[in-house]
Amino acid sequence: MRPDGQGTPHWFDDDAGPVVRPYAMTRGRTTSAAQHRLDLIAVVVTEPHTADPEADQTLSPEHVDIVELCRDTPQSVAELAAELDLPIGVVRVLIGDLVDDELVHVTRPVPPAELPDESILRDVINGLRAL
């Protein structure tokens, strides 16, 4: 029962505002069309040629928020998910859409296999100390 005495059950909090399910934001998709692999630490940057994303009627409010957040400061996928208070899977799909539309680009971290060997780094440090 609701506190106002009406018989209709009250199943949500009035302060929460309108509730949108995450799958509604991605139109039920769990991956983007181009199947972009986005690590949590991948950095998203708005393309310099991107004008006002709000003028594009095909973008959702969440797409616009991502473009705006990454315009001045590059953001990691994890930072965007935290800032937008959305599940990481949803944010990955939305970023994939923006990459496909060429509104943002993603800088992926260097894979561990491509990092220099620790012994090489030690040799460089020892060489610098010897100078």
Side-chain angles (χ1 to χ4, degrees):
M1 288 286 202
R2 288 174 44 175
D4 60 8
Q6 295 177 354
T8 309
H10 195 77
W11 57 270
F12 62 91
D13 183 6
D14 287 332
D15 294 334
V19 178
V20 176
R21 297 281 184 204
Y23 62 81
M25 291 178 213
T26 62
R27 295 181 213 102
R29 297 170 297 138
T30 57
T31 60
S32 61
Q35 198 71 343
H36 296 285
R37 177 69 187 124
L38 299 172
D39 294 326
L40 292 176
I41 59 173
V43 177
V44 182
V45 181
T46 300
E47 292 288 353
H49 70 273
T50 303
D52 181 18
E54 291 183 24
D56 187 345
Q57 298 298 317
T58 63
L59 296 178
S60 70
E62 293 78 18
H63 285 115
V64 172
D65 290 343
I66 291 170
V67 171
E68 291 300 330
L69 284 170
C70 299
R71 185 176 301 282
D72 295 327
T73 307
Q75 303 277 326
S76 72
V77 174
E79 289 172 321
L80 288 170
E83 182 70 29
L84 297 171
D85 196 26
L86 292 173
I88 196 72
V90 171
V91 173
R92 283 179 171 152
V93 172
L94 296 173
I95 292 170
D97 294 344
L98 293 170
V99 170
D100 291 341
D101 292 342
E102 299 178 354
L103 297 174
V104 299
H105 69 272
V106 177
T107 304
R108 290 170 180 79
V110 177
E114 294 179 15
L115 293 174
D117 186 27
E118 186 177 331
S119 63
I120 294 172
L121 294 175
R122 280 197 186 116
D123 291 342
V124 170
I125 290 172
N126 291 336
L128 290 172
R129 285 185 183 149
L131 293 175

